[in-house]
Amino acid sequence: MKNVNRVFFCKSLSLVFLVPSFTRSHIRFTYSAAGASSPNRAIHCMASDSPQSGDGSVSSPPNVAAVPSSSSSSSASSAIDFLSLCTRLKTTPRAGWIKRDVKDPESIADHMYRMGLMALISSDIPGVNRDKCMKMAIVHDIAEAIVGDITPSCGISKEEKNRRESEALEHMCKLLGGGERAKEIAELWREYEENSSPEAKVVKDFDKVELILQALEYEQDQGKDLEEFFQSTAGKFQTNIGKAWASEIVSRRRKQH
């Protein structure tokens, strides 16, 4: 069979190939450095029949390989550096639970993850971007990867806490390499801190809802009395969804006492 070469030009790494009906085919990838600074990088893909040897047998197709440009290697390095730093969010327990002698307390990442789920399952709210809420939920405590979980009982002023976290966030964004993603993370974090948007108000309520839900679960599982967390959040919810979910949690708590 005569070799047939076809070239596909694709704008992203999510590629769909229509492979010809013949079965002995292979695909070879080469990376084009052209436009490497753009998020829509070009991938040149060549599909061809498997070459036959002189005796008619079919040779094994070559390994699929991707040859990254120096720019993508640098981007990958920044991403892994950033993610490696963020592992501290998975290993740092929430300080409030430690001080109350809770066994196996949740990590900062545990807390942010369930907040992300809250945003995911929440009903649509007029004027609120639910996708933005999900992003904000997984970003709002990200600076704690460096500064740790600073609580009111730590004796650190709000101004000093914000200064430390702002510096930590700046460092993390530089580690990520700057650019659009780093800018987005910084903007989401500041918006949350300043409570300056409808999304920030929703996510701040989710922060408190997740806190009291976790407190209720620790009370049920470990026989703790964590009334102080319910007292500290009472009357501080800003949105209807926050008030409704908090009321449901408090109602369930009353039934078990």
Side-chain angles (χ1 to χ4, degrees):
M1 181 182 293
K2 181 181 178 181
N3 286 353
V4 179
N5 293 327
R6 291 176 174 82
V7 178
F8 301 83
F9 298 92
C10 312
K11 290 187 177 180
S12 73
L13 292 178
S14 300
L15 308 177
V16 178
F17 301 101
L18 298 178
V19 180
S21 58
F22 51 81
T23 58
R24 297 185 179 93
S25 63
H26 67 273
I27 300 174
R28 177 167 57 84
F29 294 77
T30 60
Y31 182 91
S32 171
S37 61
S38 169
N40 292 326
R41 294 171 181 168
I43 302 293
H44 302 282
C45 319
M46 180 174 291
S48 66
D49 295 352
S50 296
Q52 294 184 349
S53 62
D55 60 4
S57 63
V58 180
S59 61
S60 299
N63 294 330
V64 175
V67 182
S69 70
S70 58
S71 175
S72 66
S73 295
S74 175
S75 176
S77 178
S78 295
I80 299 305
D81 286 343
F82 175 82
L83 293 173
S84 293
L85 176 57
C86 286
T87 197
R88 296 179 188 174
L89 297 169
K90 298 169 62 177
T91 58
T92 304
R94 298 254 283 165
W97 307 131
I98 293 177
K99 293 175 181 177
R100 276 73 184 180
D101 296 321
V102 169
K103 297 178 183 178
D104 300 320
E106 65 169 347
S107 69
I108 298 167
D110 293 331
H111 167 66
M112 293 196 296
Y113 174 74
R114 187 152 66 172
M115 284 177 61
L117 287 179
M118 289 176 176
L120 178 64
I121 69 170
S122 64
S123 57
D124 291 334
I125 303 172
V128 174
N129 184 322
R130 192 165 57 90
D131 289 344
K132 184 177 179 181
C133 287
M134 285 188 279
K135 292 180 180 181
M136 192 176 288
I138 63 173
V139 162
H140 81 287
D141 277 343
I142 199 169
E144 293 181 12
I146 294 177
V147 303
D149 185 16
I150 301 174
T151 67
S153 61
C154 293
I156 297 173
S157 68
K158 288 184 178 181
E159 292 76 16
E160 176 62 15
K161 177 178 182 291
N162 184 265
R163 185 193 68 78
R164 293 184 187 185
E165 291 183 344
S166 294
E167 289 183 356
L169 183 73
E170 183 179 356
H171 171 77
M172 295 179 78
C173 288
K174 287 180 179 178
L175 188 65
L176 189 56
E180 289 302 313
R181 291 296 171 263
K183 180 180 178 182
E184 182 181 27
I185 288 173
E187 289 177 349
L188 287 167
W189 184 85
R190 292 191 183 96
E191 196 170 299
Y192 174 84
E193 285 295 307
E194 295 168 1
N195 196 27
S196 59
S197 68
E199 290 81 10
K201 289 175 172 56
V202 169
V203 177
K204 278 189 172 290
D205 274 6
F206 286 163
D207 183 52
K208 297 179 183 69
V209 168
E210 207 287 322
L211 174 68
I212 61 173
L213 177 56
Q214 187 63 74
L216 175 60
E217 291 164 348
Y218 285 146
E219 285 186 335
Q220 293 170 334
D221 296 342
Q222 301 185 26
K224 298 286 184 180
D225 180 2
L226 300 171
E227 171 67 18
E228 62 188 286
F229 293 98
F230 294 89
Q231 290 291 339
S232 66
T233 57
K236 295 184 179 180
F237 295 93
Q238 308 172 81
T239 66
N240 289 334
I241 189 170
K243 293 173 183 176
W245 287 12
S247 177
E248 175 65 21
I249 294 169
V250 170
S251 175
R252 294 188 182 196
R253 185 172 183 257
R254 288 191 185 123
K255 289 178 182 178
Q256 77 174 22
H257 281 73

